Amino acid sequence: MNKANSIAMQHVTHRPSITALLSTATVSLFTWLIAFVVTIVSLSLSLLFGTIRAMTRLSFRCIVYILLATLFLVGLVLGAILSIITLGAISLP
């Protein structure tokens, strides 16, 4: 008595073999290991390049600030010397 609208469902039991399970687990393990290694290498390189970039920026800033400070101090010294020479030249006559 099969009706046209009814769907007969049969329970299908299929157990994969041990070798299929082991090969699937091995492929999954290797995939996870490759992803882990790639992630660690990527993070390490990103951290290394970020650190190098920050250090070079900082060193360039320090070099620029040192040069600006040197120019400022040289300007102060030259200004003081020129002021003394000018005041001495004015007070002579």
Side-chain angles (χ1 to χ4, degrees), residues 7-53:
I7 298 174
M9 294 188 63
Q10 295 178 351
H11 188 70
V12 178
T13 58
H14 173 68
R15 286 189 175 172
S17 65
I18 296 295
T19 57
L21 286 175
L22 286 177
S23 65
T24 304
T26 304
V27 169
S28 178
L29 176 68
F30 281 134
T31 303
W32 279 104
L33 284 176
I34 289 170
F36 179 73
V37 168
V38 167
T39 302
I40 294 300
V41 168
S42 174
L43 287 175
S44 298
L45 287 177
S46 177
L47 182 64
L48 178 70
F49 288 139
T51 304
I52 289 172
R53 187 180 303 132

